[in-house]
Amino acid sequence: MDTNGNAETTTRSAQHVCRSGEGVDVGAIGLGIKVRLTGADTGGAYSLFEYIVPPGLGGPPTHIHSREDELFTCVQGRVRVVLDGVEHVLGQGDSLLMPRGVPHVFSNPFEEETRIVAVVSPPGLENYYRELSELPPGPRDMALVAQVMARHGLSLQR
């Protein structure tokens, strides 16, 4: 009971400690992708990822998320992000919000590995990455990638 005599409702969320290097690896399209928290872990609030981007990686093609907002925080190295035609270079500790519906692409044209922590809301992008990681190895079949993207509310920017 609260001080007014009303029944209190307490919402508890599970606590999660994500140690460095932990997470389910669903690396795809040349990236190391670790799913650190899923929507199930956060009560449907967001998903949390760590991207490991090797030096010189061109990254995914320019694309649009119809469902999710993404918040990138660069935690190691530097990353180049083109968001709606505007180039941003994020260094360690820098963050960039990429709203849904806005075309974007990221890459690591630099000489050191880049690590990004990405908060994605609402959650669900982990399902896209899992499906991408199950595609046959070898050169990217962009027609197949586009089909996977469409199933998860993403599209290639042409």
Side-chain angles (χ1 to χ4, degrees), residues 62 80-88 96 98 103-106:
T62 302
R80 176 182 174 267
V81 180
V82 178
L83 176 64
D84 206 17
V86 178
E87 181 176 323
H88 305 273
L96 176 64
M98 296 179 286
H104 61 280
V105 63
F106 67 94

Side-chain angles (χ1 to χ4, degrees), residues 34-88:
K34 291 196 180 210
V35 179
R36 304 292 299 268
L37 294 172
T38 66
D41 297 325
T42 66
Y46 59 90
S47 299
L48 181 70
F49 304 96
E50 180 180 11
Y51 303 141
I52 299 97
V53 190
L57 183 73
T62 302
H63 60 283
I64 297 172
H65 297 251
S66 66
R67 302 175 185 164
E68 304 92 6
D69 298 318
E70 291 182 281
L71 175 66
F72 270 23
T73 299
C74 183
V75 296
Q76 178 184 314
R78 293 178 290 165
V79 64
R80 176 182 174 267
V81 180
V82 178
L83 176 64
D84 206 17
V86 178
E87 181 176 323
H88 305 273

Side-chain angles (χ1 to χ4, degrees), residues 49 133 141:
F49 304 96
S133 73
D141 178 341

Side-chain angles (χ1 to χ4, degrees), residues 69-145:
D69 298 318
E70 291 182 281
L71 175 66
F72 270 23
T73 299
C74 183
V75 296
Q76 178 184 314
R78 293 178 290 165
V79 64
R80 176 182 174 267
V81 180
V82 178
L83 176 64
D84 206 17
V86 178
E87 181 176 323
H88 305 273
V89 175
L90 305 180
Q92 187 172 338
D94 295 341
S95 297
L96 176 64
L97 176 63
M98 296 179 286
R100 71 191 77 186
V102 178
H104 61 280
V105 63
F106 67 94
S107 62
N108 178 3
F110 308 107
E111 295 179 6
E112 67 273 358
E113 180 179 84
T114 297
R115 289 183 178 258
I116 299 162
V117 171
V119 177
V120 179
S121 179
L125 201 60
E126 58 269 27
N127 301 319
Y128 164 67
Y129 287 138
R130 281 190 193 105
E131 190 170 346
L132 264 189
S133 73
E134 294 168 358
L135 292 178
R140 290 185 206 169
D141 178 341
M142 289 313 294
L144 198 53
V145 170

